[in-house]
Amino acid sequence: MAKFMGNNPILQVADPELIKQVLVKDCHIFTDRKSFFECGNHPIVEKVLPGLQGDDWKRVRSITTPVFTSGKMRKMYPIVRESVKGFMNTLSEYVNDKQEVNVTDMYGCLTMDVIANCAFATKTNAFKDPNNAFVVNGRNVLKLSVLKFISMLLLPQEKSETKSNDLIDLMMRAKEGKDNINDERNKYESHHINEGEEELEITNNILNIKPSNIFITEDEMIAQMFIVLLAGYETTASTLSFCSYELALNPDVQQKLYEEVMSSMDTNGEIDYEVLIKLPFLDAVIAETLRLHTPLVIIGRIAAQDYRLGNTGITVYKGRVVEIPVYAIHHSEEYYPNAEMFIPDRFLPENRHQIIPYTYLPFGSGPRNCIGMRFALMEVKLVIC
Ligand code: HEM
């Protein structure tokens, strides 16, 4: 289907095989996307990963990818768990006082606190203090007041003891070449539905850059911290809100999830990272939430050269935008029977083979997929359980 955005024609591609071609097989032609937001020539904002193009994107992505490996998630797990504990304590106080809670606001405070802890080594106590400078300025960033955010970065903040694990530290190590991008995939998670050997090889080839190109400037590093806040706050908070909403509407699902979680806790009432990410029903509940309520409803790519689209007879001309209508695909009866219903069982390991690759795209796909996927999933799973 074609549509116009102003004067610009956009081709929408919803066929799974063609999606695979655009996002994976021919990703060297469709590497760039239209910028997430218009930033003029702002020296920091123009360097955020989602907006970078060509070789600059490849270089920065190959340096930042090792920050999000499962090994790094294991390291960050205790930090995220601390934030979640603070969140649960505050929630319990509301419950004890029989007060109403605005869950969406609370989740916003939590995701902000997690990012502040992990990326900026800063404790916000956001659940109790919504006027905290980090929270106020961070929210303003999302209203696109970029300069306020930069000034916030320069303000002194209460330091967390967990500084050695923060994202800047991990990025510095990646820059020094102490990490590599190869990482084990977790076959237990629904979110790897699209990934076979072919996809992995293409991603590794694209991100395998010359050692002389492994560098990142200070502005680029600040830009990536900015985008972690921007990309990780609202998406994760909205996923948590929708998941709670669906659990409230579906008490049978809630009960089944409760039983799975309770049977997985250790004697201290804690869940180990390795156990958490492999819980099949929890994974299915989150996957179904992201299918029904996917935060990014469309993914876009720009053609770097004239391109014949499969055997459709269509030529996508250089510079034109191709869009994948993720929300429409996720809600299609053809791919998901009873598509408007919340049915986590679709994503259980025994049923997952029925999902057609490239029809489940909450985090995009291919080498330019969501770099923060593992981080988001760890956070959401930890909170929901
Ligand atoms: C539930 C939470 C999240 C969802 C649903 C989500 C979804 C997405 C999607 C759909 C894309 C575009 C992928 C594509 O074009 O193929 C994306 C890109 C991106 N996301 Fe996420 N995201 C989430 C959380 C996060 C978090 C927590 C971070 C950072 C810690 C993050 C950082 C990014 C970045 C930097 C990109 C751009 C990647 C690139 O251009 O190379 N996201 N995300």
Side-chain angles (χ1 to χ4, degrees):
M1 190 186 100
K3 66 176 191 182
F4 276 86
M5 189 82 114
N7 284 338
N8 301 318
I10 293 175
L11 183 71
Q12 287 210 330
V13 174
D15 175 78
E17 216 18 73
L18 295 177
I19 292 174
K20 179 176 179 178
Q21 280 188 26
V22 171
L23 295 184
V24 185
K25 280 189 173 165
D26 294 323
C27 62
H28 56 288
I29 294 168
F30 292 98
T31 310
D32 301 335
R33 67 163 76 86
K34 223 173 139 7
S35 184
F36 268 26
F37 45 89
E38 300 305 329
C39 58
N41 287 329
H42 191 284
I44 302 290
V45 183
E46 69 181 9
K47 296 186 179 66
V48 296
L49 196 57
L52 281 180
Q53 303 208 330
D55 287 345
D56 280 337
W57 169 76
K58 236 187 235 185
R59 177 175 54 78
V60 175
R61 174 87 192 210
S62 67
I63 287 173
T64 44
T65 292
V67 172
F68 295 94
T69 59
S70 45
K72 301 303 176 338
M73 293 307 104
R74 238 166 259 133
K75 276 190 170 179
M76 269 186 257
Y77 187 63
I79 307 174
V80 180
R81 201 166 50 191
E82 273 311 298
S83 281
V84 175
K85 272 187 186 159
F87 170 80
M88 295 312 289
N89 289 342
T90 309
L91 211 54
S92 301
E93 286 169 24
Y94 281 120
V95 173
N96 291 340
D97 295 348
K98 297 194 168 40
Q99 281 187 45
E100 273 188 19
V101 178
N102 182 327
V103 178
T104 307
D105 279 357
M106 282 289 283
Y107 283 144
C109 290
L110 170 68
T111 55
M112 190 71 83
D113 192 62
V114 168
I115 294 167
N117 261 312
C118 290
F120 299 93
T122 298
K123 278 187 175 164
T124 67
N125 270 329
F127 335 108
K128 291 200 168 145
D129 177 15
N131 295 322
N132 174 283
F134 193 101
V135 176
V136 171
N137 287 298
R139 283 195 167 144
N140 283 343
V141 161
L142 299 165
K143 292 175 194 154
L144 295 186
S145 308
V146 174
L147 288 174
K148 282 188 187 167
F149 170 74
I150 304 291
S151 70
M152 176 274 295
L153 272 181
L154 303 174
L155 288 176
Q157 297 286 321
E158 190 191 336
K159 293 286 173 192
S160 142
E161 310 84 65
T162 47
K163 178 152 179 43
S164 62
N165 280 332
D166 70 36
L167 286 175
I168 296 182
D169 189 47
L170 292 173
M171 217 186 292
M172 290 300 292
R173 289 177 52 79
K175 182 189 131 190
E176 289 157 17
K178 290 180 183 155
D179 297 296
N180 66 54
I181 60 168
N182 294 322
D183 190 24
E184 79 268 27
R185 307 275 143 162
N186 177 8
K187 65 179 187 309
Y188 302 94
E189 282 185 337
S190 314
H191 298 85
H192 299 290
I193 276 169
N194 305 326
E195 285 169 1
E197 288 306 313
E198 190 187 0
E199 283 82 355
L200 285 182
E201 202 181 321
I202 290 171
T203 300
N204 285 341
N205 287 342
I206 285 265
L207 297 181
N208 189 6
I209 58 170
K210 285 191 202 142
S212 58
N213 281 347
I214 302 179
F215 66 90
I216 186 164
T217 66
E218 203 172 310
D219 278 359
E220 284 171 343
M221 209 178 291
I222 294 173
Q224 304 332 307
M225 303 320 291
F226 165 63
I227 197 60
V228 162
L229 176 72
L230 191 73
Y233 160 71
E234 186 69 40
T235 47
T236 315
S238 107
T239 305
L240 283 166
S241 302
F242 278 117
C243 189
S244 303
Y245 172 73
E246 292 293 355
L247 288 174
L249 291 183
N250 296 279
D252 50 328
V253 174
Q254 197 179 137
Q255 182 61 29
K256 192 170 165 185
L257 181 59
Y258 176 78
E259 283 164 17
E260 182 184 74
V261 170
M262 291 313 281
S263 65
S264 315
M265 285 185 168
D266 64 20
T267 44
N268 301 321
E270 307 272 6
I271 295 192
D272 192 57
Y273 173 78
E274 306 297 339
V275 177
L276 179 86
I277 56 165
K278 289 178 187 167
L279 290 182
F281 196 60
L282 177 61
D283 186 63
V285 166
I286 308 298
E288 180 68 342
T289 303
L290 281 164
R291 180 189 70 81
L292 265 178
H293 307 285
T294 189
L296 264 73
V297 294
I298 282 174
I299 295 170
R301 296 285 189 273
I302 302 173
Q305 62 186 60
D306 289 357
Y307 178 79
R308 288 188 70 79
L309 188 67
N311 55 10
T312 59
I314 296 172
T315 300
V316 182
Y317 292 106
K318 180 179 173 182
R320 295 289 188 223
V321 175
V322 171
E323 273 184 5
I324 320 289
V326 176
Y327 184 92
I329 295 170
H330 283 186
H331 287 251
S332 156
E333 284 290 326
E334 187 184 343
Y335 303 130
Y336 295 99
N338 300 313
E340 296 305 321
M341 289 176 72
F342 184 72
I343 309 175
D345 285 11
R346 312 175 197 270
F347 288 96
L348 282 175
E350 60 271 27
N351 299 330
R352 223 180 278 159
H353 64 278
Q354 293 171 29
I355 295 171
I356 299 171
Y358 301 95
T359 62
Y360 179 66
L361 299 157
F363 294 100
S365 194
R368 197 142 198 184
N369 68 351
C370 175
I371 199 170
M373 179 180 84
R374 268 205 192 103
F375 186 81
L377 288 176
M378 168 179 68
E379 185 178 351
V380 171
K381 287 181 177 180
L382 198 47
V383 177
I384 294 299
C385 83

